[in-house]
Amino acid sequence: MQATDEREAVRNWRQQLWYALILCIVGVALNVLGSKIPGILGVPLYLDNIGTVIVATIGGYLPGVAMGYVSNLVNVAATDPGTAYYCIVTVLIAAACTWLQRKGFFDRWYRLPVVILVLAALGGGLGSILTWFLYGYGMGEGISAPYARMLYETGRLPLFWAQFLSDFFLDLIDKAVTVLISVVLMRFIPESIRRRCRMDGWRQTPLSEEERDAASRSYSRGASLRTKILTLIAAITLFIALVTTAICFYLYHNSTLAEHKQMGRTVAKLVASQIDGDR
């Protein structure tokens, strides 16, 4: 009997892995497709986190963070290499969506503004700071750059705050559209499929009412195994994202220096061929 239960548990675990994998693939496709829509419509938005929000909300921390990381790599290879520098932002957005979902912020429409503000703070706020350092304490060249220049040219704001405010408010609109589209799409996903895709680490028979009462009265000095595993996975993923961002920044810095050095040599050779040094 016990062997049969173990085989059934293993089979259910494998099915859940397949459902989570399919959910991640669909999430990556939604991110790539969403990033193409603004260019087609000519609107200054990104919409490249729709899949991240859906996967992190339904699947949990591990599928959401993994999908966000892979989605960045796909965008690097397929569309924009510059997205590699913002890998850590996508990972944090996925983790934030899972946490907010477990706190019930996706259950009521009136709580969604909190979700939008948190995601905009990560995407627009933290992303703007990364852009500031990436471009050598200067203005970036993304979608928000024209609006940042307009704010800066008014003479009322320093360069950093002009870029930061334009990034944040533009991302606020982007995340509002992203969250609304994600919530609408999730309404069409049956609850049975959601349960199959959810990876929350629960693998034991549900406790009875008496057992839950006894467990709540018991005292434990340390964190639960589930909390430790999730913390370890989150720390490893965050570390990988940080390392990826650092490597990309290092490569970008070196390639930019090499490009400008080559440009300087070319200009020097052109000037030397046209100017008589003896005169």
Side-chain angles (χ1 to χ4, degrees), residues 17-34:
L17 283 177
W18 278 110
Y19 272 95
L21 179 60
I22 293 172
L23 179 66
C24 290
I25 294 174
V26 173
V28 172
L30 286 174
N31 278 355
V32 175
L33 178 62

Side-chain angles (χ1 to χ4, degrees), residues 2-277:
Q2 184 178 0
T4 303
D5 293 339
E6 289 179 354
R7 286 195 296 269
E8 182 67 22
V10 171
R11 183 165 57 250
N12 292 336
W13 172 243
R14 289 176 178 174
Q15 289 179 353
Q16 190 176 38
L17 283 177
W18 278 110
Y19 272 95
L21 179 60
I22 293 172
L23 179 66
C24 290
I25 294 174
V26 173
V28 172
L30 286 174
N31 278 355
V32 175
L33 178 62
S35 65
K36 298 292 185 180
I37 293 177
I40 297 174
L41 300 179
V43 294
L45 297 175
Y46 302 98
L47 301 183
D48 56 351
N49 279 303
I50 297 175
T52 302
V53 174
I54 293 175
V55 173
T57 303
I58 295 178
Y61 285 107
L62 184 57
V65 170
M67 198 283 304
Y69 184 79
V70 172
S71 180
N72 264 90
L73 298 182
V74 172
N75 283 329
V76 169
T79 56
D80 184 12
T83 57
Y85 313 125
Y86 302 94
C87 180
I88 183 63
V89 176
T90 307
V91 169
L92 290 176
I93 286 175
C97 285
T98 301
W99 186 83
L100 290 169
Q101 187 274 332
R102 295 187 175 184
K103 296 299 180 180
F105 284 94
F106 282 89
D107 298 337
R108 297 291 184 271
W109 286 95
Y110 60 84
R111 295 179 178 178
L112 292 181
V114 177
V115 178
I116 295 170
L117 284 173
V118 171
L119 300 189
L122 293 173
L126 180 58
S128 179
I129 295 174
L130 286 176
T131 301
W132 176 259
F133 285 105
L134 183 63
Y135 286 89
Y137 311 105
M139 190 177 297
E141 299 176 354
I143 296 175
S144 63
Y147 305 100
R149 293 189 184 95
M150 290 173 58
L151 287 176
Y152 180 68
E153 289 172 358
T154 61
R156 298 179 180 179
L157 292 173
L159 184 61
F160 172 79
W161 287 110
Q163 174 188 281
F164 184 89
L165 291 177
S166 62
D167 282 338
F168 177 78
F169 284 109
L170 188 62
D171 204 73
L172 188 65
I173 300 173
D174 176 80
K175 292 303 181 288
V177 177
T178 297
V179 170
L180 291 177
I181 293 176
S182 301
V183 170
V184 171
L185 291 177
M186 283 188 289
R187 299 298 183 190
F188 293 97
I189 302 176
E191 182 62 29
S192 59
I193 296 180
R194 293 192 191 190
R195 287 197 300 268
R196 290 178 180 273
C197 296
R198 188 175 298 118
M199 299 186 68
D200 53 8
W202 186 260
R203 290 294 176 271
Q204 71 181 56
T205 303
L207 301 176
S208 64
E209 190 67 30
E210 294 78 10
E211 290 172 332
R212 285 198 296 269
D213 291 338
S216 63
R217 289 192 298 268
S218 63
Y219 174 75
S220 177
R221 297 181 58 184
S224 64
L225 180 61
R226 175 174 176 269
T227 301
K228 292 178 181 178
I229 293 175
L230 289 177
T231 302
L232 179 61
I233 292 173
I236 292 174
T237 308
L238 185 62
F239 175 75
I240 294 174
L242 285 171
V243 170
T244 303
T245 303
I247 292 174
C248 293
F249 181 83
Y250 175 77
L251 294 176
Y252 174 82
H253 181 266
N254 288 346
S255 64
T256 303
L257 285 178
E259 180 181 351
H260 283 76
K261 287 179 180 179
Q262 182 61 34
M263 187 182 301
R265 295 189 189 98
T266 303
V267 173
K269 290 179 180 179
L270 177 63
V271 172
S273 64
Q274 300 296 324
I275 297 178
D276 185 358

